[in-house]
């Protein structure tokens, strides 16, 4: 199978680089400065074993590949807010032997949150979800850092909305030869909603800096408590911290990388790169949406969603809001919701 990585950023670059290292055929899809850097200098992947450069085919869209192959696997690794544009481009692409990518090819949604795969299923017949546990950083064009060891990441796979099949197992086998663990599970949503709860911290980190110290940790716990209340009201199952720890154990330890400090997670990186957008609508905003649907107040997640979007839109510096100020705003938001 040939893997077409749509969105060769932190997650896409790490997955694409590790697949290429293991001998799999990989095409990277990027745009702007990242496209230029990958085209001119290759993908630089900085990992605990060192820095490696992979000279892989890189394209801006499907036209550059002509007719897609019947054994192509599309890995959608763009942020959720960029999903529609990617599907618009790749869905109609012709496939050798007839039909389109949307009709014939598997699409793996390697994204945070749960919305991307729902959007994809409107266009693509064969959609697979991925619960991404892959600490990686992309802030400099052409360079992706992934500090996990001995595994680079754990990627739970499953047919969306539920189930497993042979395609998922074949993809998992390729990933497991490429320094990933890739359990194929019929109930992927349980893992994704648990990951969503942990990703509620992304907005705190993005606007107020590292989640360290009592105030920041308390804010994250309060945001998660709103998330738990919403999922329980909606009857949505999620894996417990104990079940997650049992699966992950000590399989991924973050090791220091030369000249590559890990500044923050995916949302922090969006602000650091001044992209103008952020994924908060599909993380904290997912909790806000479910809260409104099921009558559960979510004032803190609503505040975090709004602040993250404002920071992205106005291109404010990542981590520039004092955590004490964020805590004050949070208290005000919660008090207003209780009136």
């Amino acid at each position: 199978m040939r893997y077409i990585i749509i969105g060769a950023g932190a997650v896409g670059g790490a997955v694409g680089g590790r697949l290429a290292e293991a001998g799999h055929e990989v095409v990277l899809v990027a745009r702007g400065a990242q496209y230029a850097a990958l085209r001119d200098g290759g993908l630089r992947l900085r990992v605990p074993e060192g820095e490696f450069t992979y000279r892989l085919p890189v394209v801006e869209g499907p036209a550059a590949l002509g007719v897609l192959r019947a054994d192509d696997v599309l890995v959608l690794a763009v942020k959720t807010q960029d999903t529609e544009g990617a599907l618009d481009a790749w869905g109609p692409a012709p496939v050798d032997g007839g039909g389109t990518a949307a009709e014939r090819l598997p699409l793996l949604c390697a994204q945070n949150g749960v919305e991307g795969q729902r959007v994809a299923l409107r266009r693509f017949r064969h959609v697979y979800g991925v619960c991404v546990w892959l600490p990686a950083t992309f802030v400099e064009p052409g360079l992706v850092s992934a500090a996990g060891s001995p595994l680079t990441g754990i990627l739970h796979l499953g047919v969306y909305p539920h189930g497993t099949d042979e395609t998922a197992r074949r993809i998992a086998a390729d990933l497991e030869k490429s320094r990933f663990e890739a359990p194929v599970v019929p109930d992927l949503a349980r893992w994704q909603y648990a990951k969503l709860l942990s990703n509620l911290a992304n907005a705190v980190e993005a606007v107020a800096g590292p989640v360290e110290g009592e105030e920041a940790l308390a804010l994250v716990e309060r945001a998660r408590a709103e998330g738990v209340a919403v999922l329980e009201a909606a009857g949505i199952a999620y894996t417990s911290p104990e079940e997650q720890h049992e699966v992950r154990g000590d399989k991924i330890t973050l090791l220091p990388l030369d000249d590559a400090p890990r500044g923050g997670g995916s949302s922090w990186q969006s602000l650091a790169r001044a992209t103008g957008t952020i994924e908060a609508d599909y993380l904290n905003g997912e909790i806000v949406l479910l809260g409104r649907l099921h009558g559960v107040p979510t004032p803190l997640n609503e505040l975090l969603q709004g602040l993250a979007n404002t920071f992205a839109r106005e291109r404010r510096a990542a981590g520039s809001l004092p955590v004490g100020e964020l805590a004050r705003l949070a208290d005000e938001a919660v008090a207003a919701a209780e009136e």
Side-chain angles (χ1 to χ4, degrees), residues 154-167:
I154 299 177
L155 307 173
H156 283 74
L157 304 178
V159 176
Y160 182 76
H162 50 74
T164 64
D165 66 9
E166 183 59 26
T167 297

Side-chain angles (χ1 to χ4, degrees), residues 5 13 16-21 24-28 38-39 41-43 53-59:
I5 311 294
R18 286 304 204 187
L19 283 169
E21 176 188 17
H24 301 291
E25 193 173 356
V26 174
V27 176
L28 303 177
L38 295 174
R39 178 198 61 200
L43 170 65
T53 299
Y54 300 98
R55 299 281 182 170
L56 303 173
V58 56
V59 300

